[in-house]
Amino acid sequence: MTFDYGGYAGKTLRIDLTKGKIIKETQSKPKLEKYLGGRGVDAKILFDELKPNINPLHSDNVLCISTGPITGLLGPTTGRINVATKSPLTDIYGNSNAGSDWGPELKYAGYDNIIIKGRAPKPVYLCIDDEHVELKDAAHLWGEGVFETTLTLQEEQRGYDTKVAAIGPAAENGVLFCSIIFNLWDAAGRTGTGTVMASKNLKAITVSGSGELRVADPERYLEIVRDGWLGVLNDPGFLMGEHQALGTPICVNWGNAQGWLPTRNFRESTFEGADSISGEEFRDKYSTRSSPIPGGRACMSCPNRCKRFGRIESGKYAGTRGSIEFEGIAAFGSKCGVSDLEAVFHAYTLSNDYGMDCVSCGNAIATFMELVEEGVLEDIDKLGLRFGNADAMVEMVHRIANKQDKLGALGALGAYKAALKIGKNAVDYTTSVKGIDTIACDPRVAKGFGFTYAISSRGSDHLRTHVVFEMIRMPPEIGKELFGSEGACDLMSYDGKVRMVLWHENLAAITDSIGSCRFMHASYYAQYPVPELLGKLRNKKEVNSIKYHDWISAATGMKIDYKKLLEIGNRIVNIERALNTRFGMRRKDDRLPKKFSKPIPKGPGKGQRFPKKQLEKMLDEYYTSREWDLKTGLIKKSELIKLDMKDVLDDLDKKKLVR
Amino acid sequence: MGKLIFNYEKCTGCRACELACSFHKEGVFAPSKSRIKIVRIDEEGLDIPIGCEHCDNAPCITACPTRALSRNSETNAIVLNPDFCIGCKQCMVICPFGAIHYNENREIFYKCDLCDGSPECVKWCVTGGIEYYEGIEEFPRRKSADRIQHFLLNLPKSTRSIATGGGNKE
Amino acid sequence: MTYVTVKYLMVFSQITRKRKELIPISEGMTLQDLMDILYVKYGRRFKKAFGEDLGHRSALITINSKVKETPYILNPGDEILISHIVGGG
Ligand code: SF4
Ligand code: SF4
Ligand code: SF4
């Protein structure tokens, strides 16, 4: 083993694009002990190396791409990769996560992470082939879509064995919410990471690796992952086929039935056309597999397979193909009031090829549609922007990507910045928190989700916690045991939700940092101690579960127990908070948009709102538990000392950013 | 008489089998050292498992000048004995499935040996993308009989009664 | 004849190979009676999919978007939705 800790590849790639320099560094052990990898380490790198006040598109911005200690090993999901930078969309901490097997390949090539700085004088791509790392000319790729870029690079190199992360023309054009797209379909979608990559003149990163990864304790490792694997396979949610059946689009019909499917830019939360844009419809009409239940596609070493591949064979959008996912369907579908799945699928694939985040793109279009209907914005380009107009929606995707005409240029700013520019009361129609628009779940119905939107470190986002716990009829006893209240198991209750969010937030920080997928502990509940509690309730003798702490320990050789695991999660949440503090985020920014204090007009969630008072009350509880200052939201000194983050404390203290 | 059946329609491309194989055989996680390979064709959403088919008329055996390759009569696996191998690479060239691999570090050749009849990769495949059948002669017939039976059992009631002359059309 | 609409979501639509259908009902028929008809019509796999042993994740049957107390007597025009409980994506 070349590195003391197992699991890791042991090396960092530092790329200075301005000078064209590539440095291979050995990983710092103390940093890994404290932050594990992935999201944690990335946040720390940004804290240490990023000048807070720069323009995100300045060459000094830092782009981090990181795997974690279990990425690429065998275990219940080991394929996720983390990307972090200062976001051009929100001007605060930007961060996104993607699947596929790009991350594992990077580790087989011998590197845990890449830190990219500077700006190349002309378009280049980074080619990683085991120890050969090179910047190569990308003139022939500049301006090309993600598909063309990826396929060309695969042809030029090792075919399907070359894994490609690419950006599209929208990013080159400076659309603020562009993604980095891994292996064609997996996007580190949100917060504009792709735009930053484009600003560095970096078109793509290709990897192929033939190396090997070792774990600290192979025998124990196998035992532990087998336990975790069985934990997932025996989870009641997995047994009923939550994601295997239809992939994440399973949520369309279900969200509609439960009354949280955002419709017409969150005017309503049920959509009359839900069935025609549902996962069922996709399976029946476009799935390319004759046996869709066992089919679907998965990230590295994942038994869950949440992605669905399909193709449109005929008609106006013939030839459209790709992997589809719930958030994108909702963004272009129900949020825009469009019930034509072919148009939605097409818009989705288009934005993928342009390299844009489909959520932000769909949200921008939906917001514009509402603004036009409400008379706040003029349909200057005469597109017929109205809810339900599928053609206008598809046309807008093209225009935004190319910043074409007035509306295209506006849309390229994302819903929030566009609304600021439009002026009047346009901002009241957006759903943004900290500058980023809201994903596809109405927070007025799902209270835990709602609270997450307010506090999440990258702005409105559910994935920081993914508190599905409140949605799946968990036995109330478990809510009581874990989060002190049976209300935690009730979608529309506020009780116990703060504690529920805390637990999920800490664990999600862990999964993002080790390279695993949060669906294993928050969708399925295969992570200790939930299966144990469920087992006790049902008098089951043998229970299998994932134990992230044992898993990390056996892989790396560090000694981590459950308590320490949660502490690391807490530390990661705090380093992100510290970063955001520097970017000027305070308590006043942990809020929900005005839109959500108005009641839902109809459906199962009728009359539900998320009152400001309630949010403030929950914030008090949350800050108290996190030991953050109630008034300002700054972290308390004592907490940073307790979490062994003296260096962070010293730095913040100098700028009076701690209490 | 064992055989691995590769079923690309069911494979999700999770590559757990590759990792399980390399870990079982080499103690490391490294797809490059796995005996089975998943070809991930992202552009078509296809994932195809490829490995040794343990062919009846195995060209690798014919090609090997030193009889390093032979069939294990118990498991039906074609196994490679590194002690006899002279490294001529003929088997590598002739195998239509690219199932024979070369380890540069240790300078040895290796291939799937069906894990002595208890294949590790199959244990980690949750979808049936790879399956292991011990009685290959029975396999195809039994399976189609199963399918027909399943089909008949699941026919809607009304159809069945039409067949017997009854018919309960609404 | 009077009917109820039965809608199948998720894996149920896979097994029944349809997303919804009209089922004739007779006077006084309960939800349980209807389910018995469906169990016979769609067989073992269908019944198994309800996952009675799965506890909180077992299937959910709603009538006109509400969970009804059993025994429930069906009314003409009722919309019965058979689905599982899932969360976020
Ligand atoms: S559940 Fe989906 S996103 Fe998560 S690892 Fe599996 S395939 Fe990837
Ligand atoms: S384990 Fe099964 S599903 Fe996964 S890649 Fe291998 S054959 Fe395919
Ligand atoms: S049977 Fe054994 S040797 Fe062959 S591919 Fe599977 S795990 Fe590898």
Side-chain angles (χ1 to χ4, degrees), chain A residues 72-74 101 108 160-161 185 210-213 229 289-290 294 296-298 300-302 305 309 311 321, chain B residues 9-12 14-16 19 23 28-33 37 40-45 47 124 126-127:
Chain A
L73 308 181
L74 181 64
D101 52 1
Y108 304 140
Y160 299 126
D161 290 348
W185 316 116
S210 66
E212 58 190 40
L213 298 169
W229 194 262
R289 307 237 175 163
S290 58
R297 301 191 82 213
M300 195 78 179
S301 193
C302 169
R305 51 196 187 273
F309 196 88
R311 174 201 288 280
R321 64 187 156 149
Chain B
E9 281 220 320
K10 291 182 179 170
C11 172
T12 64
C14 73
R15 302 173 75 184
L19 294 172
F23 191 62
V28 296
F29 296 107
S32 61
K33 296 189 171 53
K37 180 173 172 64
R40 297 206 78 181
I41 307 178
D42 288 310
E43 49 179 306
E44 296 297 339
D47 303 290
W124 290 88
V126 289
T127 62

Side-chain angles (χ1 to χ4, degrees), chain A residues 246-264:
Chain A
L246 302 170
T248 55
I250 201 166
C251 293
V252 179
N253 263 331
W254 175 245
N256 193 48
Q258 267 199 326
W260 50 254
L261 183 70
T263 302
R264 287 177 276 272

Side-chain angles (χ1 to χ4, degrees), chain A residues 501-568:
Chain A
V501 162
L502 278 161
W503 185 79
H504 282 82
E505 196 181 20
N506 288 343
L507 277 187
I510 297 287
T511 52
D512 286 346
S513 300
I514 61 175
S516 179
C517 175
R518 69 181 44 34
F519 280 169
M520 300 302 119
H521 77 260
S523 229
Y524 308 137
Y525 277 80
Q527 155 70 9
Y528 171 88
V530 185
E532 280 76 5
L533 291 172
L534 273 174
K536 211 166 92 195
L537 217 60
R538 305 214 173 106
N539 292 320
K540 264 212 253 159
K541 276 202 204 78
E542 268 182 54
V543 181
N544 293 104
S545 65
I546 299 180
K547 296 169 194 76
Y548 289 133
H549 45 287
D550 287 341
W551 190 7
I552 303 167
S553 306
T556 60
M558 295 175 192
K559 285 198 179 52
I560 296 174
D561 57 13
Y562 181 60
K563 200 169 144 245
K564 191 152 176 224
L565 181 83
L566 293 179
E567 186 187 298
I568 298 176

Side-chain angles (χ1 to χ4, degrees), chain B residues 4 17 20-21 24-25 35-36 111-115 119-122:
Chain B
L4 290 178
C17 49
C21 181
H24 187 63
K25 293 292 183 195
R35 276 77 171 146
I36 187 169
K111 67 177 294 302
C112 169
D113 59 3
L114 290 178
C115 297
E120 189 70 12
C121 51
V122 175

Side-chain angles (χ1 to χ4, degrees), chain A residues 242 254 280-281 283 523, chain C residues 10 13 19 56-57 86:
Chain A
E242 171 156 358
W254 175 245
E280 285 87 351
E281 180 85 0
R283 172 200 63 201
S523 229
Chain C
M10 309 169 187
S13 61
R19 306 247 291 275
H56 65 288
R57 284 298 190 104
V86 303

Side-chain angles (χ1 to χ4, degrees), chain A residues 16 95 125 129 191 301 409 424 461 489 530 638:
Chain A
D16 182 336
N95 153 251
Y125 75 93
D129 194 302
T191 68
S301 193
K424 293 183 246 179
D461 170 46
C489 309
V530 185
S638 54

